[in-house]
Amino acid sequence: MLTFILLDYRSAEQTVTYIHHLCEKIIKVQEPISFVVVDNSVDSSNFDFLSKAFKTIEKKNWNGSIIEKKEVDGKPLYLWANVENAGYARGNNAGAKIALDYIKSDYLLFSNNDLVVLDPLLDLDRLILEQKKEGVAIVGPSIIGKNGEKQNPYKEKSFFLRWGLEYLLYPCGSILPQSYRSGDVLEPFTSNPVFRVMGSFFLISSSSFWLVDGMDPHTFLFAEELILAKRLQQVNLLVHYVDSVHLLHNHSTSINKYYNQTERLKQRFKSELYYYQKYVGVGKFMVFVVKKIFSSYLIRKKATMIIKKTLKKTGCFSE
């Protein structure tokens, strides 16, 4: 059994649309398919929309709360409302635990609800075939953003190159060669294994996921797949990329509703700082230096935006 794990945050209509889109795209898959939807919204109207969208088969007790077993296109779907917005990692861990307890899933496919399958059919069999290779835990497909930017796969990057050098040189950081800038997309892709793939859509065996105790619950947003990749690396398991399966990512539409660009960047820095300290062992001095660089960058960024806005109003500057 392959189970899609979907985390919803106040985007019930988008989740329902996406599930129906998936059902249309997985009509020729050898592995049985199921769904687990975790509603992180703490919003009864959001849960009601999700609940009414699918036929209810039965209701079950789970950890003192109710899980609704439903059906969509002949496939089982388990819907659970979290009692708090527990963040991406804890919400997905709950979804994976439901898949373990009620479905006994062999494979977990973690997915955002803002993707579009670009191929005529979603070739899950190809992803599973890759995952079955010796030592492979995670497999991710080709993902592009709305503007055509490549979002998979990724290479490992040092803390200073990820958060230090380019931010130190802002607003002139673009003069740096690509390898010295903060981005970590692996371009060009030449061979497997890769360091990590994007968390918006990836397949992992259930046994590998639980071998490393799932996702680290100490982050709220961002860096979850980064940490999971490192946890797997530490037990000699691999991440592979498959470029023959293609998806479009309407990136972070739900997050963008509630967090502006600066807030998202601060949250990502906080999560990745946790990763670099706990899993990479970055020292206190380097942490101190990069924190100062990042704080200075935020001030310089804000000042630059004010100057641009002022010049634009006076007609001295145009985008």
Side-chain angles (χ1 to χ4, degrees), residues 37 39 41 66 74 87 92 120 134 138-139 161 179 182 207 213 244 264 267 300 312 318:
V37 178
D39 182 9
S41 306
I66 300 297
N92 275 316
E134 185 176 356
I138 284 180
V139 177
L161 288 182
S179 60
S182 63
S207 58
D213 296 322
S244 59
R264 293 197 307 275
Q267 185 64 55
R300 285 177 280 128
K312 192 173 182 180
S318 60

Side-chain angles (χ1 to χ4, degrees), residues 13-45:
E13 187 173 357
Q14 184 169 298
T15 294
V16 171
T17 299
Y18 180 59
I19 289 172
H20 286 303
H21 172 66
L22 287 174
C23 288
E24 292 173 358
K25 292 289 186 174
I26 54 178
I27 57 175
K28 293 183 179 180
V29 179
Q30 293 182 13
E31 197 72 27
I33 302 297
S34 58
F35 298 90
V36 171
V37 178
V38 173
D39 182 9
N40 248 10
S41 306
V42 197
D43 178 343
S44 59
S45 63

Side-chain angles (χ1 to χ4, degrees), residues 182-202:
S182 63
D184 58 343
V185 175
L186 181 60
E187 185 67 64
F189 165 74
T190 54
S191 62
N192 282 310
V194 297
F195 174 56
R196 70 175 178 99
V197 291
M198 195 168 200
S200 61
F201 192 99
F202 69 91

Side-chain angles (χ1 to χ4, degrees), residues 83-311:
V83 295
E84 61 175 332
N85 179 10
Y88 184 86
R90 285 191 287 167
N92 275 316
N93 282 346
K97 187 65 166 59
I98 291 168
L100 177 68
D101 289 349
Y102 292 104
I103 312 173
K104 310 299 181 188
S105 305
D106 302 292
Y107 306 98
L108 304 173
L109 202 157
F110 293 93
S111 177
N112 286 13
N113 63 4
D114 56 358
L115 291 123
V116 176
V117 179
L118 296 177
D119 303 318
L121 295 175
L122 177 57
D123 194 352
L124 294 177
D125 292 333
R126 176 67 186 87
L127 298 181
I128 292 171
L129 184 65
E130 189 72 22
Q131 195 283 317
K132 287 182 176 179
K133 291 183 178 179
E134 185 176 356
V136 178
I138 284 180
V139 177
S142 169
I143 301 176
I144 60 170
K146 291 182 292 183
N147 298 323
E149 69 274 18
K150 187 176 179 182
Q151 295 186 359
N152 254 348
Y154 294 87
K155 57 189 174 183
E156 195 165 10
K157 206 138 198 180
S158 73
F159 184 47
F160 185 69
L161 288 182
R162 181 70 167 153
W163 288 102
L165 186 57
E166 186 175 349
Y167 291 91
L168 175 65
L169 297 178
Y170 178 85
C172 302
S174 59
I175 66 173
L176 288 168
Q178 197 64 39
S179 60
Y180 289 93
R181 296 173 67 177
S182 63
D184 58 343
V185 175
L186 181 60
E187 185 67 64
F189 165 74
T190 54
S191 62
N192 282 310
V194 297
F195 174 56
R196 70 175 178 99
V197 291
M198 195 168 200
S200 61
F201 192 99
F202 69 91
L203 174 77
I204 183 170
S205 67
S206 183
S207 58
S208 296
F209 185 78
W210 292 117
L211 178 65
V212 295
D213 296 322
M215 297 184 184
D216 188 317
H218 294 95
T219 60
F220 184 76
L221 288 172
F222 304 110
E224 296 87 1
E225 68 271 31
L226 193 64
I227 294 170
L228 185 58
K230 178 59 75 172
R231 282 181 159 187
L232 293 166
Q233 187 184 79
Q234 290 171 346
V235 294
N236 299 313
L237 290 175
L238 306 173
V239 177
H240 276 205
Y241 167 69
V242 171
D243 61 4
S244 59
V245 178
H246 307 92
L247 292 100
L248 170 70
H249 186 199
N250 186 19
H251 187 53
S252 300
T253 52
S254 58
I255 294 175
N256 291 347
K257 293 177 185 177
Y258 305 103
Y259 301 93
N260 64 38
Q261 187 177 23
T262 298
E263 289 169 337
R264 293 197 307 275
L265 187 64
K266 287 179 178 178
Q267 185 64 55
R268 186 162 67 86
F269 177 76
K270 180 181 178 181
S271 295
E272 292 197 13
L273 174 60
Y274 170 76
Y275 159 75
Y276 279 105
Q277 287 182 295
K278 180 174 175 61
Y279 291 95
V280 182
V282 171
K284 291 181 180 179
F285 178 73
M286 180 59 71
V287 168
F288 173 80
V289 170
V290 172
K291 277 185 173 180
K292 291 296 183 183
I293 290 172
F294 185 65
S295 296
S296 170
Y297 160 77
L298 293 176
I299 294 170
R300 285 177 280 128
K301 175 74 171 179
K302 185 176 181 179
T304 300
M305 296 304 294
I306 292 171
I307 292 170
K308 283 184 177 180
K309 187 179 291 186
T310 303
L311 292 176

